[in-house]
C-alpha cells in the first residue's frame, strides 16, 4: 500500500515532468505518444518478471501501431503472423479468418521480446526509462506537483512530476492509493503454461479457443516452438490440483481441440504455471487532477474478446495526446479521453455477454450460470452460497 510522502534519506529531488508508473504495453504506448508530440517523460519499470499472459495481437491494432510509428515491431521474425481464430464454442466449430480484414493477419507475439523492443524504441525516442523501480510513497507538494519516492535496487530516489500516469494493470495501484474504487463484473482468472514442443512440428497459425464444462481454454503457437495454453475459469473454481502440472495437464487433455495441438506422445516437463486475474472491470474514475490511468488499469477486457493489447496500445496513444492538450491548458482533454474509453467499453459489454450466451451446453455448470447473468456484477455473491463441483 502506498503511503503519504516523506523525504528520503538523500534529500535529493528532481522534476521529471510526466511520470508513467508501469513499463508494460500501455505505459510504453503512452510514452511513445507523448514523444510524438515532443513531450519527454519518465517511465518507471518494475523490471523482468514472469512471462506475461496475452500473446495475440489482432489486426485491429494496425492503425494504432502506425500512429505510434511502431508497425514494424510485430513483423520481427521472433513473432508469427496469426491468420485467425478457431472457436469450438456452442454448437459448432467456427473459423474467423483475418484475410478479410484490412491488415490480412494478426500476430502471435513473443511477448517478452515485443515489450523489450517497445522499451528500446522508447529510449531511442528520448524517454527516460528507470529499471527495477518500486513506488514507495506518493503525495502532493505545496505547489500541487506529484511527490514520489522510488526505490531502484537498493537506492532511494525522490522526484516530483507535473503529471502522473497509472499503467500498473488490473491492480491499478496508483489510482487505488488515491482512493479510487474499481468495479469488477466477474472473477475470471487464467491459469497459463508455456509448453516446449518441436519447432519443426507444423501447427496452423491460429488462436484456438475451446469451451468446456467449467470454463474455456485458449492456445497459441509461438515462433520458439512453444505452445501457450491458458485455462479460463472463475477464481472460486480453481482448486490446488489445477495449480499443479499433473492436474493442469489432465484438465487440458479433456479439451480435445487444444490437446490435439500437441504430439500424441507428448509429456510436459518442468512447466511453470501462472495464475492471473482476467476479470472485466474498470476504475470508477480514470482521471483526475493531473493524472490518468491507461490500459488494464483503466478498463480491462475479457481475453475472449482478443482486445486487451489493442486496448492497451490505443489507450496509451490517446492518453499521450490528452496529457499534452491538458498541460497546454485544455479543460476538455481528460474528459474527452475518458469518454473515448468509456464508449469503447460500453460497446464491448453487450458483445461480451452475447459471446457467453452462445454457449448453452452445460446449463447446470456454476461457471456458465454465472456468465449468463445479465449484469455479471454479483459473481462473488453467486458463488458464496454454492458448493464447488
Amino acid at each position: 500500500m502506498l503511503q503519504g510522502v516523506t523525504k528520503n534519506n538523500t534529500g535529493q529531488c528532481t522534476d521529471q515532468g510526466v511520470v508513467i508508473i508501469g513499463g508494460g504495453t500501455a505505459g510504453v504506448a503512452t510514452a511513445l505518444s507523448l514523444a510524438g508530440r515532443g513531450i519527454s517523460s519518465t517511465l518507471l519499470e518494475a523490471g523482468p518478471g514472469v512471462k506475461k499472459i496475452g500473446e495475440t495481437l489482432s489486426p485491429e491494432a494496425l492503425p494504432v501501431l502506425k500512429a505510434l510509428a511502431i508497425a514494424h515491431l510485430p513483423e520481427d521474425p521472433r513473432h508469427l503472423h496469426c491468420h485467425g481464430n478457431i472457436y469450438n464454442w456452442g454448437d459448432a466449430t467456427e473459423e474467423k479468418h483475418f484475410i478479410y480484414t484490412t491488415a490480412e493477419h494478426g500476430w502471435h507475439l513473443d511477448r517478452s521480446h515485443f515489450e523489450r523492443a517497445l522499451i528500446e524504441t522508447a529510449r531511442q525516442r528520448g524517454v527516460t526509462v528507470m529499471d527495477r523501480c518500486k513506488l514507495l510513497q506518493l503525495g502532493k507538494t505545496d505547489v500541487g506537483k506529484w511527490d514520489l519516492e522510488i526505490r531502484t535496487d537498493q537506492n532511494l530516489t525522490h522526484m516530483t512530476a507535473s503529471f502522473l500516469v497509472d499503467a500498473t494493470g488490473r491492480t491499478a495501484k496508483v489510482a487505488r492509493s488515491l482512493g479510487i474504487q474499481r468495479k469488477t463484473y466477474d472473477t475470471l482468472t487464467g491459469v497459463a503454461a508455456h509448453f516446449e514442443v518441436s519447432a519443426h512440428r507444423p501447427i496452423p497459425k491460429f488462436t484456438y479457443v475451446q469451451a468446456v464444462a467449467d470454463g474455456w481454454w485458449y492456445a497459441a503457437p509461438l515462433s520458439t516452438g512453444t505452445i501457450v495454453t491458458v485455462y479460463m475459469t472463475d477464481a472460486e473454481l480453481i482448486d490446488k490440483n489445477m495449480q499443479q502440472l499433473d492436474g493442469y495437464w489432465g484438465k487440458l487433455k479433456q479439451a480435445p481441440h487444444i490437446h490435439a495441438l500437441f504430439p500424441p506422445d507428448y509429456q510436459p516437463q518442468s512447466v511453470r504455471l501462472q495464475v492471473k486475474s482476467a476479470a472485466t472491470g474498470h476504475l470508477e474514475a480514470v482521471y483526475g487532477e493531473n493524472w490518468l490511468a491507461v490500459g488494464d488499469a483503466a478498463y480491462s477486457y475479457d481475453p475472449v474478446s482478443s482486445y486487451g493489447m489493442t486496448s492497451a496500445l490505443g489507450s496509451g496513444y490517446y492518453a499521450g495526446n490528452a496529457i499534452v492538450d491538458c498541460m497546454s491548458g485544455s479543460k476538455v482533454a481528460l474528459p474527452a479521453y475518458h469518454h473515448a474509453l468509456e464508449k469503447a467499453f460500453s460497446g464491448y459489454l453487450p458483445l461480451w455477454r452475447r459471446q457467453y450466451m452462445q454457449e448453452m451446453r452445460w446449463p447446470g455448470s456454476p461457471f456458465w450460470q454465472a456468465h449468463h447473468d445479465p449484469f455479471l456484477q454479483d459473481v462473488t455473491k453467486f458463488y458464496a452460497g454454492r458448493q464447488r463441483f
Side-chain angles (χ1 to χ4, degrees):
M1 179 68 67
L2 302 179
Q3 303 175 8
V5 171
T6 59
K7 291 290 183 181
N8 64 51
N9 56 9
T10 67
Q12 298 175 346
C13 184
T14 57
D15 191 340
Q16 299 296 323
V18 179
V19 172
I20 302 166
I21 312 296
T25 303
V28 182
T30 305
L32 292 173
S33 180
L34 288 166
R37 296 283 300 272
I39 300 296
S40 61
S41 62
T42 298
L43 188 73
L44 306 184
E45 184 186 19
V50 297
K51 293 181 179 180
K52 292 186 178 180
I53 301 174
E55 299 75 24
T56 301
L57 185 60
S58 73
E60 285 78 9
L62 185 58
V64 71
L65 290 170
K66 290 181 176 179
L68 292 169
I70 55 171
H72 62 288
L73 293 184
E75 295 298 337
D76 185 291
R78 291 285 295 269
H79 313 304
L80 295 178
H81 285 179
C82 173
H83 301 305
N85 301 322
I86 298 179
Y87 286 88
N88 179 256
W89 192 286
D91 296 330
T93 297
E94 177 183 354
E95 296 187 10
K96 177 184 177 182
H97 292 261
F98 293 151
I99 193 172
Y100 303 111
T101 67
T102 55
E104 297 187 352
H105 63 79
W107 298 268
H108 284 152
L109 301 177
D110 179 328
R111 184 70 179 270
S112 297
H113 182 75
F114 181 71
E115 293 203 344
R116 287 195 299 270
L118 280 176
I119 289 287
E120 182 56 31
T121 300
R123 283 195 171 104
Q124 293 171 1
R125 298 183 187 176
V127 177
T128 300
V129 180
M130 296 178 62
D131 298 313
R132 301 180 184 277
C133 292
K134 182 177 181 180
L135 177 61
L136 299 179
Q137 300 182 59
L138 175 65
K140 284 288 191 77
T141 68
D142 292 340
V143 295
K145 291 193 174 184
W146 293 103
D147 204 350
L148 303 90
E149 188 172 59
I150 311 296
R151 174 179 292 154
T152 58
D153 291 331
Q154 301 302 316
N155 299 318
L156 294 180
T157 299
H158 196 69
M159 66 177 65
T160 62
S162 301
F163 203 99
L164 195 64
V165 177
D166 185 350
T168 59
R170 282 177 168 84
T171 59
K173 293 178 181 178
V174 175
R176 294 177 76 169
S177 76
L178 299 176
I180 309 300
Q181 298 298 311
R182 187 171 180 85
K183 181 177 183 178
T184 56
Y185 292 76
D186 66 350
T187 62
L188 191 70
T189 302
V191 186
H194 290 68
F195 293 102
E196 301 296 333
V197 298
S198 172
H200 303 291
R201 184 175 187 267
I203 300 174
K205 298 176 182 66
F206 288 82
T207 299
Y208 299 86
V209 177
Q210 180 174 4
V212 293
D214 46 4
W216 55 276
W217 289 85
Y218 83 75
L222 301 182
S223 64
T224 55
T226 301
I227 297 177
V228 180
T229 66
V230 184
Y231 174 60
M232 292 289 179
T233 191
D234 288 331
E236 295 82 356
L237 300 177
I238 298 177
D239 56 29
K240 293 182 179 179
N241 187 50
M242 268 302 298
Q243 299 178 52
Q244 303 296 323
L245 179 56
D246 287 347
Y248 184 89
W249 183 249
K251 194 78 169 179
L252 187 150
K253 291 169 69 175
Q254 297 174 24
H257 294 273
I258 302 299
H259 187 244
L261 300 175
F262 294 85
D265 58 349
Y266 183 78
Q267 293 296 326
Q269 302 290 330
S270 303
V271 175
R272 182 177 182 179
L273 301 180
Q274 298 171 246
V275 181
K276 188 174 181 180
S277 172
T280 288
H282 60 83
L283 289 171
E284 295 286 4
V286 301
Y287 75 94
E289 184 179 1
N290 296 330
W291 76 270
L292 58 71
V294 295
D296 285 343
Y299 287 87
S300 57
Y301 293 79
D302 190 312
V304 78
S305 70
S306 299
Y307 191 56
M309 291 191 69
T310 302
S311 172
L313 291 165
S315 67
Y317 172 74
Y318 288 113
N321 284 284
I323 292 167
V324 175
D325 293 342
C326 176
M327 294 177 70
S328 298
S330 171
K331 301 298 184 182
V332 300
L334 299 187
Y337 167 75
H338 178 210
H339 175 73
L341 266 59
E342 186 178 48
K343 182 178 180 181
F345 189 78
S346 297
Y348 150 83
L349 286 175
L351 298 176
W352 174 50
R353 180 169 183 257
R354 187 182 308 164
Q355 179 67 43
Y356 279 97
M357 291 300 293
Q358 290 176 5
E359 181 54 84
M360 305 296 290
R361 287 178 288 177
W362 300 284
S365 161
F367 175 85
W368 293 104
Q369 286 182 352
H371 286 262
H372 292 160
D373 180 276
F375 302 104
L376 297 174
Q377 295 179 18
D378 298 313
V379 174
T380 301
K381 293 179 181 178
F382 173 86
Y383 284 109
R386 299 183 64 97
Q387 293 183 350
R388 300 172 73 168
F389 71 106

